[in-house]
Every structure is written in C-alpha cells, then in structure tokens.
Amino acid sequence: MPKFYQVISLALLMAVTQTSCSTTKEAAQQPTAASQTENTVKARPASRSGFKNYNEVITKDAVSDQGLFTIHRVGDKYYYEIPDSLLQRDFLWISRFASLPSGLGGGYVNAGSSVNEQMVVWQKFNDKIVLKTKSYNAVAADSLPISLSVQANNYQPTIYAFDIAALSRDSAGYVIDVTKFFSSDIKVISGLSADMRKNYKVSKLDESRSFINSVKSFPLNIEVKQDFTYDAAEPPSNSATGSISLMMNQSMVLLPKEPMQPRINDYRVGYFTIRQVDYGSEALKADEKSYIRRWKLVPKDIAAYERGELVEPVKPIVYYLDPATPDKLRPYIKAGVEQWQKAFETAGFKNAIIAKDPPSPEEDPDFSPEDVRYSVIRYVASTTRNAVGPSVSDPRSGEIIESDIIWYHNHLRSYRNRYLLETGAANPNARTLETPLEDLGEMMLEVITHEVGHALGLPHNMKASAAYPTDSLRSGAFTQQYGIAATIMDYARYNYIAQPGDQNIRFIRQLGPYDHYAINWGYRYLPDANSAEEEVPTLSKWITERTGDPIYQFGSGSGGYDPESQTEGIGANVVESSTYGLKNLKRVAPKLYEWTAAQTNDYDDLEELYGELVGVWSRYIGHVVTNVGGVHENRLKPEQTGYIFTPVAAKTQTASMDWLLNNAFSSPEWLHQTNISRNIHHASYVESIRNLQERHLNNLLSADRMARLMENEVNNVGYNALDMVRQLQRGIWSEVYSGAKIDIYRRNLQKAYLDRMNYLLNEEPARSNRNYGTPVEISQSDIRSIARGELVKLQRQLRSTQSRYNNDLSRYHIDDAIVRIENILNPKKA
C-alpha cells in the first residue's frame, strides 16, 4: 500500500477495529437479498467529528440488503456500507447492456453484451473513499526493486471519490452515498462509446428521465441497473423522440484473495487469453505473457488422479437452467452442457460439469441468476436469432469465475431454415417447416454445447472443418463416429456434402476429437508443477506429439487468407465441398415452394427461405474465392519442421478460378423459380444476383488478395496477379471472344468488372487495406500496371467484335463498355 494511504489520524486509528482481509466466507454467511428488512437497530454514534452518526444517515426508514456490501435505500438515496476489510481487495467490474434500442451500434450489440471489464479497488484517503481502476497488464514481483517503477509508471485513474457519510455501527466500515455516482454519466461505465456519441450526436444525459432501477447485494457480487435517457439529435431508432434510452447493468465481483496458478498460453491450441507485461523477466526486454482463461478444477483425491483414475473436482462447474426455460427444451439444454463431461474425462475428471434445474423458492429462496455464485443458461424472450457464451474471468490469472449462457428464443428458427436448405436434398426430415422436435432438440443441444465451449475458454477453431476429407462426409459410418468437423467450436453446423442416396448420415455437428484434446491440454491437473513455467515442457510435448495431424490443428479464421480456416465450411477440399453443396441447392430450389407456401398458404416463409438460399449459394462461392491468392497457415514453433505460411498450389488456384467462372459468374438460371420470384417481389431478382456477383468479383479484385498473388512471384508458385486477372477477364468477357449473346446477368457483371478496375486504377487514396489483411501501396505496386494493361487489351478486343452483334442490347452494351474503358484509362480531371 502506498505510504500516504497509511497516514491516518490517531483518533481514527483508535476508533477503527482492524479485521481480517478475507471476508468471502463471512460475506457468504450473511443474510442475502431475499431478507431485505427495515433497519430498526439503534446505531452507535460516529467516533470522529465531521461524520454524521450512523442512525442519522441510515435511518429507521432504511431498507437494507446484506451481502458483499450492505446496501441501504433511504428514500431515493442509495448507500454502500463497505467493510474496512474489503478495502484494497481486487474486484472485477463488468458493464453490460441490460436493454438497448434497436440498431444501437449498427445492430452488432445485444442485450447482455459487455461494454467494458476492468479491475477496481476501493481505497480510503483522508475523509473519502475512492474507487480506482487497477491493471494487471503490467506486473513485476513485489520482491523485485523494479516493482516500484512498475507502480510509479502505471498509475491508474480514479473513477470516483465519495465522501464518507458515516462510520458503520461497529466502526469497522464506512458508509458512502452512491446515488450521484450511479445517476451520472460516468464515461468508463457508460454504454455509449465515444463513436456512438459522435454518430448519434448525443449532447447530454437527461437526468429528469434517468434513474437507478435496482441495486442488489449478493455474497460475492453487487448488481446495479441504471435506466438512462440521453438527448441525441440522430438516434439509431425512434428518431422523432430525439433520445436514446438504454438500461445498463453494472456488476462488481469480488475476486479470490489468492489468484489461481495460471497456465501459459500456446498459440497452437485455441484458448481465450489474458495478457500481461512482466517487467521482472530476465529477458532483455519486458516479457509479454499470455495466460489461458479456464475454470479452476482441482481433483478431490490427487493420489488417485495421479494413478489415472477418474476423480471428481473439488468444485465442479455447475450450470442452472433459467426458470423461464420451456419444459420440452430442458432435457436438450442439460444434455448440451453435460456433453462436455466426456471431454473432461479425457482430462481425468469425473462429473466435472453439471446441469441442474433451477431450485424452487422453497428449495432456495435466495436463488437468483444475478448471483455470481450461480452460472445460468438464460432463456431470453427476444426475436434475436443468436446464442452467446460469455464468461467473467480473473484478469490476474485467467480463472473463470462465472458464466451465463444466453439463448434467444428465435434462434432455432435460423437453424431450422438452414437445416432445410443445406440438408433437405438428402435428408427427408428437413423438408418441412415443422421440423421434428427430436431434430430441433439435437440442434439446440449442439448449440448449447458450442456456447458452453466458449464459456470453458475455447474460441472458434475454424481450421477443424478442413480436418476431414470431403468424401468422408458422405459416409454414414464416418459421420456417425467423427461428426462433420473435428470440433464443436467450428462454424460447421450441417452436413451439406451428403448426397441423395447416402445412407445413415449424420447431418448435425457434434463434439469432436479436438475438443477432447483441447480440454485435456487446458484443464489436466499437473500436481508436480509449482509454477506456470514448470508446466510448459509437458504442455508443449502434448502438442508436438500431434504435429502434422489435421484433426488437432487450430486456426482462428481471421485474415481471410487460409482456405482451410473458414466459417461455415466443411471438408478438406473447398472446391469439391462447394460443388456438392451447390448440387444440393439446385435440388432444393425447385422444391422450396412445395415445402413452404404450398403448406402454409402464406408467402412469408418462402420469401425468407429464398433469401437465405441465395445467401448459402454466396457462402459456397466465398469458400472457393479464398483459394485464389490463398495461403495455408500451420501454427508451428521453431523446434518443429516446416513453414507456418505456404501459398496454395498454382494448380489449385487455377482450378478454383475456373470453378468460379462456371458457378459464380455464369448466369444462374436455376435460381429463377417463377413461382417464387413472381410471388415475393415485383422486381428484385436480377438486382440481387448482380449485387451478389459484384461482391465476390470485388473480393477477387481486392488489393489485399492481389498483394498475396504478387508475392507468389518471389515464392515461385506459378500463379500470380497477372495470371489471375487474365483468367478472370477472359472468363467474364467470354462472349466477346465467342460472339455469343450477352444476357442481362452478364451485362451487369461486366459493368461491375469495369467499375472495379476503375477503382483499382483511379480511386484515391488507394490504401484502404493498410491496416487490415495484406498491406500494399497500390500506386507503387503492379496492381495498376496490370489493370491498365488488361483494360487496353479488352478495349481492343471489344472494338474488333463490335460489328458481330446485331442484337441491340448486346451492341449498345459493347459500345458503352468501350467508352467506359476510355474514360477509365483517360479520366477527365475536375
């Protein structure tokens, strides 16, 4: 503790009784929020002049809630009674949206989304209690001299300073008024970021329309809900009100007095992490350390555990179901949680994770999903189609303290739709809007398993979907045993590879071998290791033993350059996989009316599913696009042989571009189902196809991708940026070489091609991807040289074929293209 905090007047030192720093057990023994009562105990007078007597502040009209801190409500004021023993203790403060307006943040945030997490401490300074942030991003052992410098050069800001209103009854704590703090627009705990305030032109918090909704104290946490309304000139919704209203939830959680021994992260296995900079390292620089986020599991019988027996943990991971969960879904949710038991058995633990029904009020009157002691699968009545698996972890060690899985009511609708579209060709159960409960339950089970995986510390592993050969996913025996991807943590939801006639196919994802491997790596207890560093040789050995086996590889899917690490894909060969998927879509499209509108006598489901069908086609295209200019990433350490980055083979890139020309950029007549298009919109089909094709065309002709293709020249790959543009241009303009009629889809696509070439040649500044993906300085690269040279060739070809076209639209289109190219090559300056 800094010296000035120890300078306290002699009178106060004599009055305040020092207590133990550990109050977790004592807090747990106190009455909880359910025992809110009027405070009728006569308070002792304060022992220091300047403070009011306790009973002057906490009057007989106070309603008190005992827990971590005792909370008092007196009229419209809220008071915290903070035990002296909890000063200087580490707390985690999480700010979340409890409710928010439609469209806030562009629609990318939901109720329950975390806005900010920070560690805080309560400290006494003179006649005030201050709330300060505390960071573990920079650390050094207290025994090292450099720790003094770390403290001095990482001084943390004060969030708020509270006047001490009174001493507690026994003078072993302090009473502060928190009303103004929770009623004010404190930026660090606000839901509105600086960008939101700017975009929505937020001027101020309207205090007349803002209030504290509730304050609850539990043994290990305090929960506050704030209902705030801001004046905003351009709100994201309800623009006529000129306001943004939202409800924030502020959680303050007491962290363990002694942090758990952390486990050092290895980027070859996927875990969420915390990061620290260790200034006490012997290295010639500050040592950046990364620890994985995981629950603390310790075997009850360590000797039996070491003998290889399955042992229960001292404290298992327990999830409670939300009381609002429909009865028919409860068995599937429980099974989704407890499916992880098998993976934990691989790590040596029995019954490590358990799902329970919520206790009745008679069984536990104090049970509350907001109590940090309880992790809950929350069932939210919302039209949002999503599920999330957030968790709260100790920033000092990575220990996961608590987790609430959030399931939104409408989420199964998305899964039903994709089940129909992606498996309907080969799966009779999927050919209906009334999906059997058994199938829906299996989908929900696997989604819960996926979200619980996040809450166990596992991020998405997009590499796992490429672990299995594509044709193996047409085998019933293989898919029933291994599923459709090596992990539940991939976005590999359905088996769209299986074809009509394939037998005993598993269509829905499941837990895979990588999940067992990752849980064992992150959770196996190593009793002989007395520090995180001592664990590293064993952990590294487990990884190197699996070198070269695709089942145990990890890839985040970030960057968009690795065709083996993509979202929503399955199978090792993306061209084969997308070919199978597209065959199935072409079978489903003509049946879509029969399976929807013909059954419901309504077009709403048909319109929704047709839009999603086009989106599925787009995904299959995108998977193949990644092969062009693609780079395989294989996470390795220097002790292992091979390269981390390997460009996709030239033959594969050429074949992928041929596939795209035939399946993405050809005219998609199969999508034009008259009984669909003429019943869902008066005129939108052609434009939707143009928009989709343009998106993939621009993706191919992105500076980011072309930079990687140019890099192929020095890597002797045999397929470079010029090869790609030539192949693409000749394919998109094939009619001008063959003399064939140019239909409306191709005319639109060819115009989009010219627009993109204009962008590459003339847009300024052309540095849009410097901060993302593969960096390139367009004006000093070959990109513009290639674009100009190929456009000159195209213009020459167009002029030579003008006279061939008697069809007016085709002729006009050719004439227009020639003029457009001339303007691109010789733009008029304003």
Side-chain angles (χ1 to χ4, degrees), residues 31 42 56 111 125 130 153 163 182 200 207 253 267 389 437 444 473 484 501 526 547 646 707 712 756 758:
K42 185 176 181 181
E56 291 183 84
F125 178 64
V130 294
N153 288 284
D163 292 328
F182 285 117
Y200 304 137
E207 295 183 1
V253 181
Y267 90 131
L437 177 60
M444 187 175 200
L473 300 176
I484 60 177
L526 300 176
T547 298
T646 304
N712 284 349
R756 188 61 181 179
N758 179 55

Side-chain angles (χ1 to χ4, degrees), residues 62-292:
V63 178
S64 300
D65 181 11
Q66 293 181 318
L68 180 61
F69 298 167
T70 300
I71 295 170
H72 307 282
R73 182 174 182 177
V74 183
D76 59 357
K77 290 191 174 184
Y78 288 90
Y79 294 90
Y80 279 3
E81 187 171 338
I82 306 175
D84 185 70
S85 57
L86 290 181
L87 297 180
Q88 302 298 340
R89 283 292 300 272
D90 292 337
F91 293 85
L92 189 63
W93 192 296
I94 309 106
S95 301
R96 294 190 184 97
F97 288 113
S99 299
L100 70 166
S102 173
L104 189 74
Y108 292 101
V109 293
N110 298 306
S113 296
S114 175
V115 175
N116 188 26
E117 290 188 14
Q118 57 191 321
M119 196 158 68
V120 300
V121 291
W122 296 87
Q123 297 174 340
K124 183 179 181 299
F125 178 64
N126 293 337
D127 291 345
K128 293 184 181 292
I129 297 294
V130 294
L131 178 64
K132 293 184 69 69
T133 60
K134 184 177 181 180
S135 173
Y136 265 81
N137 291 335
V139 298
D142 292 341
S143 59
L144 298 175
I146 198 172
S147 65
L148 300 174
S149 179
V150 170
Q151 293 178 32
N153 288 284
N154 292 275
Y155 189 65
Q156 298 300 311
T158 297
I159 298 174
Y160 206 84
F162 302 84
D163 292 328
I164 297 174
L167 298 182
S168 59
R169 287 193 194 92
D170 57 4
S171 298
Y174 307 93
V175 177
I176 59 172
D177 185 345
V178 296
T179 312
K180 184 177 180 182
F181 173 69
F182 285 117
S183 300
S184 302
D185 186 18
I186 308 296
K187 298 294 195 299
V188 74
I189 62 172
S190 167
L192 295 181
S193 65
D195 285 343
M196 288 182 183
R197 291 169 188 267
K198 180 180 178 181
N199 293 339
Y200 304 137
K201 293 183 169 51
V202 175
S203 56
K204 66 180 178 67
L205 177 72
D206 185 345
E207 295 183 1
S208 68
R209 292 184 288 167
S210 302
F211 49 89
I212 300 171
N213 186 285
S214 65
V215 184
K216 298 178 182 178
S217 187
F218 300 96
L220 298 178
N221 63 299
I222 293 176
E223 303 294 317
V224 180
K225 280 191 170 67
Q226 306 159 290
D227 200 326
F228 279 176
T229 295
Y230 295 85
D231 290 334
E234 297 182 10
S237 56
N238 299 302
S239 57
T241 67
S243 304
I244 295 175
S245 290
L246 53 86
M247 185 178 289
M248 291 298 299
N249 190 92
Q250 308 294 344
S251 299
M252 188 185 74
V253 181
L254 179 66
L255 294 174
K257 189 176 181 183
E258 293 297 330
M260 175 186 74
Q261 178 174 297
R263 179 156 292 182
I264 294 175
N265 179 55
D266 191 309
Y267 90 131
R268 295 172 293 178
V269 181
Y271 268 88
F272 293 123
T273 61
I274 61 166
R275 295 184 179 275
Q276 296 176 0
V277 178
D278 186 358
Y279 287 91
S281 170
E282 294 296 326
L284 296 179
K285 63 180 180 65
D287 191 7
E288 293 188 12
K289 291 185 176 179
S290 175
Y291 299 122
I292 69 171

Side-chain angles (χ1 to χ4, degrees), residues 311-464:
V311 177
E312 291 186 344
V314 173
K315 183 180 179 182
I317 305 164
V318 179
Y319 278 97
Y320 290 88
L321 270 61
D322 191 322
T325 306
D327 289 339
K328 68 178 181 180
L329 298 178
R330 291 189 179 197
Y332 300 107
I333 295 175
K334 287 182 179 178
V337 174
E338 295 185 346
Q339 190 171 197
W340 283 104
Q341 286 185 357
K342 289 294 183 182
F344 278 105
E345 287 178 6
T346 303
F349 289 102
K350 179 172 62 176
N351 299 325
I353 184 167
I354 302 168
K356 293 183 178 182
D357 284 318
S360 66
E362 293 75 26
E363 293 170 326
D364 185 355
D366 296 332
F367 176 82
S368 171
E370 294 178 289
D371 190 332
V372 77
R373 295 175 300 168
Y374 304 111
S375 293
V376 179
I377 311 286
R378 298 193 181 223
Y379 195 95
V380 180
S382 168
T383 57
T384 299
R385 298 188 187 184
N386 199 9
V388 293
S391 61
V392 174
S393 63
D394 188 337
R396 305 167 303 176
S397 66
E399 178 185 356
I400 296 174
I401 306 297
E402 180 265 353
S403 161
D404 283 347
I405 309 300
I406 301 174
W407 175 276
Y408 296 95
H409 179 71
N410 273 23
H411 196 33
L412 275 178
R413 186 178 180 89
S414 295
Y415 277 81
R416 180 212 58 186
N417 288 0
R418 290 190 53 181
Y419 192 53
L420 184 153
L421 295 170
E422 295 181 32
T423 77
N427 178 15
N429 280 4
R431 299 167 188 167
T432 175
L433 295 176
E434 302 298 327
T435 310
L437 177 60
E438 182 179 352
D439 290 31
L440 285 174
E442 176 70 10
M443 296 174 207
M444 187 175 200
L445 184 159
E446 302 302 342
V447 177
I448 292 295
T449 301
H450 177 95
E451 299 306 336
V452 170
H454 286 319
L456 296 175
L458 303 178
H460 292 131
N461 179 7
M462 302 306 182
K463 195 87 166 177

